[in-house]
């Protein structure tokens, strides 16, 4: 399972050597086989393999040998966090470990190739990490300001009421998702019982996560118009939500489902909310999606000087290098040595 040690298994010297092969030949072959990759490459592969094995363990699946479907699911999740080049390293590591154990690799099937092609097609064409652009605070402000938040007059009818409720919900989605650095699936799944409020803000428990369950703290914002705590309270108050899913569909009738009929929105709805708000704000909706809030939090936090350990904890990243890549992206123009060339 996931605790499998990512060692370098070596081909064993056969009990009976093939005709014409001496024991010295076999030992030399074995030694060369052990050096099939540079030490630095083997370290990277072991690290990538360890992440995959841990993910499989949480799924109750055996990583060695892994099925093509299992690896495809892993890569699809990883594509929400890391670049295409990192995904390709993941694939290479899985292939290497299977080959070292003399097992058929799941990477040989055509399915993995199609998954990689799909990730390439949906990746950021500018070459940035992940799929979409980071939504920074300046973008969030524009998106919130573009929402029709003004309360309708009593004589404007049900359609206006539904539009207003939807705007309250969407503002809460944007601000809570951004402040909490949530994955879109985590954001969509938040329930009333997961939220606890206090003097400094609120804590949201995240039971469904790709790593371990975590609790995220969100403080009150100085700017009331951009405060995630107040925004969530206004939405749940207007919608009459006291238990069950926090974020629900807003039908044209403006009658939001309650009780056992209440269903949470999906990650697709989160994506659509962000894309629509970006378009209304004059931003490129093709580059803003569900991951933009999460990536934006880490990027903006890094720009503001938040430490790697705090950002990693907020995002719930299992590997600090994933968080470090975001930070590196955010500070690239500060750390580039092009400024030291005297040009």
């Amino acid at each position: 399972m996931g605790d499998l040690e990512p060692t370098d298994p070596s081909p064993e010297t056969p009990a009976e050597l093939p005709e014409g092969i001496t024991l010295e030949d076999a030992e030399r072959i074995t030694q060369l086989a052990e050096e099939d990759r540079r030490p630095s490459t083997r370290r990277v592969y072991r690290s990538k393999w360890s992440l995959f094995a841990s993910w499989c363990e949480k799924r109750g699946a055996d990583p060695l040998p892994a099925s093509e479907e299992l690896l495809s699911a892993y890569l699809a999740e990883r594509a929400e966090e890391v670049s295409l080049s990192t995904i390709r390293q993941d694939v290479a590591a899985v292939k290497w470990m299977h080959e070292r154990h003399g097992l058929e690799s799941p990477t040989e099937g055509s399915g993995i190739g199609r998954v990689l092609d799909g990730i390439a097609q949906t990746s950021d064409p500018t070459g940035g990490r992940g799929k979409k652009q980071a939504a920074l605070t300046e973008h969030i402000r524009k998106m919130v300001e573009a929402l029709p938040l003004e309360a309708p007059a009593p004589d404007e009818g049900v359609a206006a009421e539904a539009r207003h409720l939807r705007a309250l919900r969407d503002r809460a989605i944007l601000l809570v998702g951004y402040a909490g650095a949530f994955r879109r699936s985590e954001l969509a799944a938040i329930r009333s019982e997961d939220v606890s409020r206090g003097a400094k803000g609120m804590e949201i428990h995240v039971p469904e996560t790709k790593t371990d369950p975590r609790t995220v703290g969100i403080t009150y914002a100085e700017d009331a118009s951009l405060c995630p705590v107040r925004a969530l309270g206004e939405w749940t108050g207007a919608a009459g939500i006291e238990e069950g899913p926090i974020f629900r569909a807003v039908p044209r009738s403006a009658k939001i489902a309650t009780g056992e009929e209440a269903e949470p929105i999906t990650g697709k709805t989160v994506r659509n909310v962000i894309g629509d708000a970006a378009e209304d704000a004059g931003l490129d909706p093709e580059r803003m999606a569900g991951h933009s809030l999460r990536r934006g939090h880490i990027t903006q936090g890094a720009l503001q000087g938040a430490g790697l350990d705090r950002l990693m904890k907020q995002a719930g990243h299992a590997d600090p290098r994933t968080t470090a890549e975001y930070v590196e992206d955010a500070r690239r123009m500060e750390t580039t040595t092009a400024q030291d060339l005297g040009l």
Side-chain angles (χ1 to χ4, degrees):
M1 295 294 290
D3 57 355
L4 179 68
E5 286 294 327
T7 56
D8 287 336
S10 303
E12 296 181 358
T13 302
E16 295 184 6
L17 296 172
E19 184 178 352
I21 300 297
T22 68
L23 181 59
E24 290 183 352
D25 291 332
E27 290 176 347
R28 282 195 293 266
I29 292 171
T30 299
Q31 184 178 4
L32 288 174
E34 291 175 345
E35 300 296 331
D36 64 334
R37 296 290 188 276
R38 294 178 180 178
S40 59
T41 301
R42 292 201 299 272
R43 285 195 296 270
V44 170
Y45 282 1
R46 290 191 193 100
S47 175
K48 300 294 184 183
W49 172 258
S50 179
L51 290 175
F52 176 61
S54 296
W55 181 89
C56 289
E57 183 176 19
K58 294 179 186 301
R59 292 288 187 103
D62 196 337
L64 200 65
S67 68
E68 183 178 299
E69 293 78 11
L70 186 68
L71 179 58
S72 296
Y74 177 69
L75 298 179
E77 282 199 6
R78 289 278 282 168
E80 296 183 5
E81 298 278 6
V82 299
S83 64
L84 178 60
S85 61
T86 299
I87 293 290
R88 294 192 187 282
Q89 285 184 338
D90 293 332
V91 172
V94 171
K95 178 180 179 180
W96 177 75
M97 188 58 71
H98 279 73
E99 289 177 345
R100 299 292 283 177
H101 282 81
L103 299 170
E104 183 177 353
S105 172
T107 64
E108 300 303 313
S110 60
I112 298 301
R114 289 195 297 271
V115 170
L116 291 176
D117 288 342
I119 293 172
Q121 290 297 321
T122 55
S123 293
D124 184 350
T126 64
R129 263 193 82 272
K131 288 186 175 182
K132 297 295 180 179
Q133 176 183 351
L136 304 180
T137 298
E138 61 179 298
H139 302 130
I140 297 297
R141 183 183 298 278
K142 290 179 180 179
M143 293 161 73
V144 168
E145 290 176 347
L147 295 171
L149 291 165
E150 185 176 352
D155 60 348
E156 288 190 67
V158 173
E161 182 182 357
R163 184 169 59 251
H164 176 61
L165 283 171
R166 195 172 296 115
L168 291 177
R169 182 202 65 180
D170 293 354
R171 178 180 62 177
I173 288 174
L174 292 171
L175 294 176
V176 173
Y178 181 57
F182 291 119
R183 299 177 178 90
R184 65 182 187 181
S185 59
E186 295 171 347
L187 183 60
I190 294 174
R191 298 178 63 84
S192 297
E193 49 267 35
D194 297 328
V195 182
S196 59
R197 292 175 172 82
K200 295 184 178 180
M202 62 184 177
E203 294 183 350
I204 299 179
H205 181 62
V206 187
E208 297 181 12
T209 176
K210 291 197 295 184
T211 53
D212 295 320
R214 72 185 193 281
T215 299
V216 175
I218 299 178
T219 56
Y220 283 102
E222 293 184 6
D223 186 342
S225 67
L226 293 179
C227 180
V229 183
R230 295 183 179 93
L232 188 63
E234 289 186 32
W235 154 245
T236 55
I241 297 174
E242 297 181 353
E243 60 181 2
I246 285 283
F247 296 117
R248 309 174 185 182
V250 180
R252 294 180 180 179
S253 65
K255 293 182 179 180
I256 299 172
T258 59
E260 295 182 356
E261 296 181 358
E263 294 287 342
I265 61 172
T266 64
K268 181 179 180 181
T269 300
V270 173
R271 181 193 66 190
N272 292 340
V273 166
I274 296 168
D276 291 345
E279 185 172 15
D280 292 341
L283 305 172
D284 186 354
E286 294 299 320
R287 298 197 61 202
M288 289 281 185
H291 191 58
S292 294
L293 302 182
R294 179 172 169 82
R295 184 182 179 193
H297 176 111
I298 301 171
T299 303
Q300 188 74 68
L303 291 171
Q304 298 298 119
L308 178 65
D309 57 338
R310 291 173 58 206
L311 291 170
M312 178 183 174
K313 184 175 181 179
Q314 184 83 359
H317 282 151
D319 185 355
R321 285 169 297 185
T322 302
T323 317
E325 288 185 28
Y326 285 94
V327 175
E328 181 182 352
D329 285 352
R331 295 177 176 168
R332 183 171 292 116
M333 298 310 294
E334 298 175 10
T335 59
T336 175
T337 55
Q339 59 189 326
D340 302 310
L341 302 179
L343 298 177

